[in-house]
mmCIF file of all heavy atoms in Angstrom:
data_model
loop_
_atom_site.group_PDB
_atom_site.id
_atom_site.type_symbol
_atom_site.label_atom_id
_atom_site.label_comp_id
_atom_site.label_asym_id
_atom_site.label_seq_id
_atom_site.Cartn_x
_atom_site.Cartn_y
_atom_site.Cartn_z
ATOM 1 N N GLY B 516 -32.732 -12.907 -1.776
ATOM 2 C CA GLY B 516 -33.793 -12.047 -1.798
ATOM 3 C C GLY B 516 -33.563 -10.714 -2.195
ATOM 4 O O GLY B 516 -34.627 -9.875 -2.309
ATOM 5 N N ALA B 517 -32.457 -10.387 -2.502
ATOM 6 C CA ALA B 517 -32.103 -9.068 -3.166
ATOM 7 C C ALA B 517 -32.410 -9.033 -4.609
ATOM 8 O O ALA B 517 -32.489 -10.080 -5.275
ATOM 9 C CB ALA B 517 -30.673 -8.739 -2.925
ATOM 10 N N SER B 518 -32.522 -7.867 -5.231
ATOM 11 C CA SER B 518 -32.990 -7.812 -6.646
ATOM 12 C C SER B 518 -31.689 -8.315 -7.593
ATOM 13 O O SER B 518 -30.564 -8.071 -7.214
ATOM 14 C CB SER B 518 -33.229 -6.308 -7.094
ATOM 15 O OG SER B 518 -33.280 -6.210 -8.341
ATOM 16 N N ALA B 519 -32.125 -9.048 -8.544
ATOM 17 C CA ALA B 519 -31.087 -9.530 -9.467
ATOM 18 C C ALA B 519 -30.266 -8.455 -10.017
ATOM 19 O O ALA B 519 -29.098 -8.586 -10.381
ATOM 20 C CB ALA B 519 -31.750 -10.408 -10.589
ATOM 21 N N ALA B 520 -30.884 -7.266 -10.268
ATOM 22 C CA ALA B 520 -30.266 -6.081 -10.839
ATOM 23 C C ALA B 520 -29.141 -5.637 -9.922
ATOM 24 O O ALA B 520 -28.108 -5.119 -10.567
ATOM 25 C CB ALA B 520 -31.199 -4.939 -10.971
ATOM 26 N N ASP B 521 -29.089 -6.053 -8.723
ATOM 27 C CA ASP B 521 -27.978 -5.614 -7.896
ATOM 28 C C ASP B 521 -26.699 -6.320 -8.163
ATOM 29 O O ASP B 521 -25.617 -5.922 -7.901
ATOM 30 C CB ASP B 521 -28.408 -5.890 -6.417
ATOM 31 C CG ASP B 521 -29.430 -4.995 -5.894
ATOM 32 O OD1 ASP B 521 -29.656 -3.864 -6.542
ATOM 33 O OD2 ASP B 521 -30.070 -5.230 -4.796
ATOM 34 N N PHE B 522 -26.867 -7.492 -8.791
ATOM 35 C CA PHE B 522 -25.683 -8.323 -9.072
ATOM 36 C C PHE B 522 -25.272 -8.454 -10.490
ATOM 37 O O PHE B 522 -24.279 -9.076 -10.882
ATOM 38 C CB PHE B 522 -26.006 -9.722 -8.619
ATOM 39 C CG PHE B 522 -26.504 -9.980 -7.209
ATOM 40 C CD1 PHE B 522 -27.873 -10.402 -6.961
ATOM 41 C CD2 PHE B 522 -25.767 -9.753 -6.108
ATOM 42 C CE1 PHE B 522 -28.301 -10.444 -5.662
ATOM 43 C CE2 PHE B 522 -26.141 -9.837 -4.830
ATOM 44 C CZ PHE B 522 -27.500 -10.209 -4.549
ATOM 45 N N ALA B 523 -26.165 -7.903 -11.332
ATOM 46 C CA ALA B 523 -26.027 -8.020 -12.851
ATOM 47 C C ALA B 523 -24.756 -7.401 -13.385
ATOM 48 O O ALA B 523 -24.234 -6.317 -13.041
ATOM 49 C CB ALA B 523 -27.223 -7.507 -13.502
ATOM 50 N N SER B 524 -24.031 -8.161 -14.164
ATOM 51 C CA SER B 524 -22.964 -7.750 -15.061
ATOM 52 C C SER B 524 -23.447 -7.669 -16.476
ATOM 53 O O SER B 524 -24.634 -7.229 -16.649
ATOM 54 C CB SER B 524 -21.770 -8.568 -14.916
ATOM 55 O OG SER B 524 -20.734 -8.309 -15.736
ATOM 56 N N VAL B 525 -22.717 -8.165 -17.360
ATOM 57 C CA VAL B 525 -23.218 -8.102 -18.855
ATOM 58 C C VAL B 525 -24.173 -9.256 -19.103
ATOM 59 O O VAL B 525 -24.171 -10.223 -18.519
ATOM 60 C CB VAL B 525 -21.941 -8.080 -19.766
ATOM 61 C CG1 VAL B 525 -21.053 -6.933 -19.407
ATOM 62 C CG2 VAL B 525 -21.143 -9.363 -19.600
ATOM 63 N N THR B 526 -24.872 -8.897 -20.141
ATOM 64 C CA THR B 526 -25.929 -9.979 -20.685
ATOM 65 C C THR B 526 -25.180 -10.774 -21.905
ATOM 66 O O THR B 526 -24.493 -10.169 -22.729
ATOM 67 C CB THR B 526 -27.153 -9.318 -21.124
ATOM 68 O OG1 THR B 526 -27.765 -8.563 -20.078
ATOM 69 C CG2 THR B 526 -28.114 -10.361 -21.728
ATOM 70 N N ARG B 527 -25.390 -12.109 -21.810
ATOM 71 C CA ARG B 527 -24.825 -12.907 -23.002
ATOM 72 C C ARG B 527 -26.020 -13.832 -23.379
ATOM 73 O O ARG B 527 -26.356 -14.786 -22.721
ATOM 74 C CB ARG B 527 -23.636 -13.701 -22.557
ATOM 75 C CG ARG B 527 -22.473 -12.857 -22.249
ATOM 76 C CD ARG B 527 -21.897 -12.304 -23.626
ATOM 77 N NE ARG B 527 -20.650 -11.547 -23.507
ATOM 78 C CZ ARG B 527 -20.707 -10.165 -23.324
ATOM 79 N NH1 ARG B 527 -21.849 -9.497 -23.359
ATOM 80 N NH2 ARG B 527 -19.662 -9.488 -23.308
ATOM 81 N N GLY B 528 -26.646 -13.576 -24.531
ATOM 82 C CA GLY B 528 -27.774 -14.337 -25.021
ATOM 83 C C GLY B 528 -28.906 -14.106 -23.987
ATOM 84 O O GLY B 528 -29.260 -13.062 -23.734
ATOM 85 N N GLU B 529 -29.506 -15.265 -23.503
ATOM 86 C CA GLU B 529 -30.510 -15.185 -22.502
ATOM 87 C C GLU B 529 -30.097 -15.129 -21.011
ATOM 88 O O GLU B 529 -30.856 -14.984 -20.122
ATOM 89 C CB GLU B 529 -31.427 -16.401 -22.671
ATOM 90 C CG GLU B 529 -32.162 -16.549 -24.057
ATOM 91 C CD GLU B 529 -33.134 -15.333 -24.323
ATOM 92 O OE1 GLU B 529 -33.848 -14.904 -23.405
ATOM 93 O OE2 GLU B 529 -33.001 -14.847 -25.455
ATOM 94 N N GLY B 530 -28.789 -15.235 -20.865
ATOM 95 C CA GLY B 530 -28.212 -15.285 -19.601
ATOM 96 C C GLY B 530 -27.446 -13.993 -19.258
ATOM 97 O O GLY B 530 -27.310 -13.060 -20.033
ATOM 98 N N ARG B 531 -26.943 -14.067 -17.982
ATOM 99 C CA ARG B 531 -26.218 -12.829 -17.484
ATOM 100 C C ARG B 531 -25.079 -13.331 -16.589
ATOM 101 O O ARG B 531 -25.148 -14.378 -15.829
ATOM 102 C CB ARG B 531 -27.036 -11.842 -16.690
ATOM 103 C CG ARG B 531 -28.062 -11.072 -17.570
ATOM 104 C CD ARG B 531 -28.857 -10.078 -16.745
ATOM 105 N NE ARG B 531 -29.771 -10.876 -15.770
ATOM 106 C CZ ARG B 531 -30.603 -10.345 -14.941
ATOM 107 N NH1 ARG B 531 -30.626 -8.923 -14.842
ATOM 108 N NH2 ARG B 531 -31.330 -11.039 -14.092
ATOM 109 N N PHE B 532 -23.914 -12.653 -16.538
ATOM 110 C CA PHE B 532 -22.898 -12.887 -15.477
ATOM 111 C C PHE B 532 -23.367 -12.039 -14.333
ATOM 112 O O PHE B 532 -24.145 -11.092 -14.317
ATOM 113 C CB PHE B 532 -21.597 -12.522 -15.989
ATOM 114 C CG PHE B 532 -21.135 -13.126 -17.319
ATOM 115 C CD1 PHE B 532 -20.381 -12.407 -18.297
ATOM 116 C CD2 PHE B 532 -21.514 -14.485 -17.544
ATOM 117 C CE1 PHE B 532 -19.926 -13.030 -19.537
ATOM 118 C CE2 PHE B 532 -21.092 -15.022 -18.766
ATOM 119 C CZ PHE B 532 -20.255 -14.295 -19.667
ATOM 120 N N ALA B 533 -22.712 -12.406 -13.167
ATOM 121 C CA ALA B 533 -22.895 -11.631 -11.922
ATOM 122 C C ALA B 533 -21.676 -11.240 -11.300
ATOM 123 O O ALA B 533 -20.521 -11.888 -11.494
ATOM 124 C CB ALA B 533 -23.637 -12.550 -10.922
ATOM 125 N N GLN B 534 -21.710 -9.956 -10.701
ATOM 126 C CA GLN B 534 -20.481 -9.474 -10.097
ATOM 127 C C GLN B 534 -20.883 -8.743 -8.793
ATOM 128 O O GLN B 534 -21.800 -7.979 -8.686
ATOM 129 C CB GLN B 534 -19.827 -8.417 -11.031
ATOM 130 C CG GLN B 534 -18.617 -7.760 -10.449
ATOM 131 C CD GLN B 534 -17.414 -8.748 -10.203
ATOM 132 O OE1 GLN B 534 -17.040 -9.337 -11.241
ATOM 133 N NE2 GLN B 534 -16.843 -8.830 -9.037
ATOM 134 N N LEU B 535 -20.247 -9.303 -7.672
ATOM 135 C CA LEU B 535 -20.411 -8.646 -6.413
ATOM 136 C C LEU B 535 -19.285 -7.590 -6.178
ATOM 137 O O LEU B 535 -18.125 -7.683 -6.730
ATOM 138 C CB LEU B 535 -20.316 -9.824 -5.350
ATOM 139 C CG LEU B 535 -21.330 -10.911 -5.313
ATOM 140 C CD1 LEU B 535 -21.021 -11.948 -4.316
ATOM 141 C CD2 LEU B 535 -22.777 -10.321 -5.099
ATOM 142 N N TRP B 536 -19.775 -6.644 -5.366
ATOM 143 C CA TRP B 536 -18.768 -5.503 -5.196
ATOM 144 C C TRP B 536 -18.645 -5.143 -3.694
ATOM 145 O O TRP B 536 -19.743 -5.142 -3.000
ATOM 146 C CB TRP B 536 -19.197 -4.245 -5.836
ATOM 147 C CG TRP B 536 -19.288 -4.385 -7.377
ATOM 148 C CD1 TRP B 536 -20.463 -4.632 -8.106
ATOM 149 C CD2 TRP B 536 -18.361 -4.134 -8.306
ATOM 150 N NE1 TRP B 536 -20.142 -4.641 -9.373
ATOM 151 C CE2 TRP B 536 -18.804 -4.357 -9.610
ATOM 152 C CE3 TRP B 536 -16.946 -3.707 -8.223
ATOM 153 C CZ2 TRP B 536 -18.138 -4.216 -10.831
ATOM 154 C CZ3 TRP B 536 -16.221 -3.627 -9.359
ATOM 155 C CH2 TRP B 536 -16.764 -3.927 -10.670
ATOM 156 N N PRO B 537 -17.447 -4.873 -3.103
ATOM 157 C CA PRO B 537 -17.341 -4.579 -1.816
ATOM 158 C C PRO B 537 -18.108 -3.213 -1.319
ATOM 159 O O PRO B 537 -18.724 -3.182 -0.363
ATOM 160 C CB PRO B 537 -15.792 -4.233 -1.546
ATOM 161 C CG PRO B 537 -15.216 -5.101 -2.683
ATOM 162 C CD PRO B 537 -16.175 -5.079 -3.793
ATOM 163 N N HIS B 538 -18.304 -2.284 -2.234
ATOM 164 C CA HIS B 538 -18.887 -1.052 -1.839
ATOM 165 C C HIS B 538 -20.423 -1.096 -1.949
ATOM 166 O O HIS B 538 -21.098 -0.368 -1.499
ATOM 167 C CB HIS B 538 -18.365 0.076 -2.655
ATOM 168 C CG HIS B 538 -18.710 0.015 -4.198
ATOM 169 N ND1 HIS B 538 -18.173 -0.937 -4.962
ATOM 170 C CD2 HIS B 538 -19.516 0.840 -4.908
ATOM 171 C CE1 HIS B 538 -18.712 -0.755 -6.193
ATOM 172 N NE2 HIS B 538 -19.493 0.275 -6.214
ATOM 173 N N LEU B 539 -20.906 -2.080 -2.667
ATOM 174 C CA LEU B 539 -22.392 -2.343 -2.852
ATOM 175 C C LEU B 539 -22.935 -3.406 -1.957
ATOM 176 O O LEU B 539 -24.110 -3.294 -1.384
ATOM 177 C CB LEU B 539 -22.639 -2.652 -4.262
ATOM 178 C CG LEU B 539 -22.339 -1.593 -5.371
ATOM 179 C CD1 LEU B 539 -22.614 -2.060 -6.748
ATOM 180 C CD2 LEU B 539 -23.058 -0.226 -5.195
ATOM 181 N N HIS B 540 -22.174 -4.467 -1.881
ATOM 182 C CA HIS B 540 -22.682 -5.686 -1.174
ATOM 183 C C HIS B 540 -21.980 -6.060 0.131
ATOM 184 O O HIS B 540 -22.436 -6.831 0.827
ATOM 185 C CB HIS B 540 -22.662 -6.928 -2.089
ATOM 186 C CG HIS B 540 -23.308 -6.671 -3.453
ATOM 187 N ND1 HIS B 540 -22.447 -6.570 -4.605
ATOM 188 C CD2 HIS B 540 -24.514 -6.676 -3.805
ATOM 189 C CE1 HIS B 540 -23.322 -6.435 -5.657
ATOM 190 N NE2 HIS B 540 -24.448 -6.394 -5.176
ATOM 191 N N ASN B 541 -20.896 -5.219 0.445
ATOM 192 C CA ASN B 541 -20.139 -5.570 1.722
ATOM 193 C C ASN B 541 -19.599 -6.959 1.617
ATOM 194 O O ASN B 541 -19.486 -7.621 2.688
ATOM 195 C CB ASN B 541 -20.889 -5.193 2.886
ATOM 196 C CG ASN B 541 -19.930 -5.145 4.104
ATOM 197 O OD1 ASN B 541 -18.915 -4.786 3.972
ATOM 198 N ND2 ASN B 541 -20.504 -5.422 5.274
ATOM 199 N N THR B 542 -19.209 -7.410 0.531
ATOM 200 C CA THR B 542 -18.605 -8.794 0.235
ATOM 201 C C THR B 542 -17.341 -8.545 -0.535
ATOM 202 O O THR B 542 -17.026 -7.464 -0.979
ATOM 203 C CB THR B 542 -19.577 -9.726 -0.536
ATOM 204 O OG1 THR B 542 -19.613 -9.184 -1.882
ATOM 205 C CG2 THR B 542 -20.972 -9.780 0.047
ATOM 206 N N ASP B 543 -16.616 -9.600 -0.579
ATOM 207 C CA ASP B 543 -15.425 -9.643 -1.575
ATOM 208 C C ASP B 543 -15.970 -9.478 -2.988
ATOM 209 O O ASP B 543 -17.164 -9.805 -3.319
ATOM 210 C CB ASP B 543 -14.634 -10.871 -1.459
ATOM 211 C CG ASP B 543 -13.888 -10.913 -0.133
ATOM 212 O OD1 ASP B 543 -13.830 -9.918 0.538
ATOM 213 O OD2 ASP B 543 -13.391 -12.015 0.242
ATOM 214 N N GLY B 544 -15.165 -8.953 -3.893
ATOM 215 C CA GLY B 544 -15.611 -8.851 -5.353
ATOM 216 C C GLY B 544 -15.699 -10.011 -6.097
ATOM 217 O O GLY B 544 -14.912 -10.128 -6.969
ATOM 218 N N MET B 545 -16.625 -10.916 -5.851
ATOM 219 C CA MET B 545 -16.740 -12.136 -6.525
ATOM 220 C C MET B 545 -17.341 -12.022 -7.884
ATOM 221 O O MET B 545 -18.399 -11.339 -8.043
ATOM 222 C CB MET B 545 -17.360 -13.197 -5.630
ATOM 223 C CG MET B 545 -16.744 -13.495 -4.323
ATOM 224 S SD MET B 545 -15.145 -14.223 -4.473
ATOM 225 C CE MET B 545 -15.434 -15.655 -5.484
ATOM 226 N N PHE B 546 -16.834 -12.739 -8.861
ATOM 227 C CA PHE B 546 -17.560 -12.747 -10.202
ATOM 228 C C PHE B 546 -17.991 -14.215 -10.386
ATOM 229 O O PHE B 546 -17.356 -15.163 -9.934
ATOM 230 C CB PHE B 546 -16.498 -12.468 -11.346
ATOM 231 C CG PHE B 546 -17.010 -12.731 -12.758
ATOM 232 C CD1 PHE B 546 -17.795 -11.833 -13.406
ATOM 233 C CD2 PHE B 546 -16.693 -13.960 -13.408
ATOM 234 C CE1 PHE B 546 -18.324 -12.088 -14.652
ATOM 235 C CE2 PHE B 546 -17.204 -14.240 -14.604
ATOM 236 C CZ PHE B 546 -18.018 -13.307 -15.273
#
Side-chain angles (χ1 to χ4, degrees):
S518 171
D521 292 344
F522 308 112
S524 175
V525 299
T526 299
R527 291 292 180 262
E529 298 299 317
R531 291 179 292 178
F532 303 147
Q534 180 67 54
L535 298 172
W536 299 94
H538 68 296
L539 296 176
H540 306 105
N541 196 26
T542 67
D543 291 347
M545 300 299 302
F546 172 82

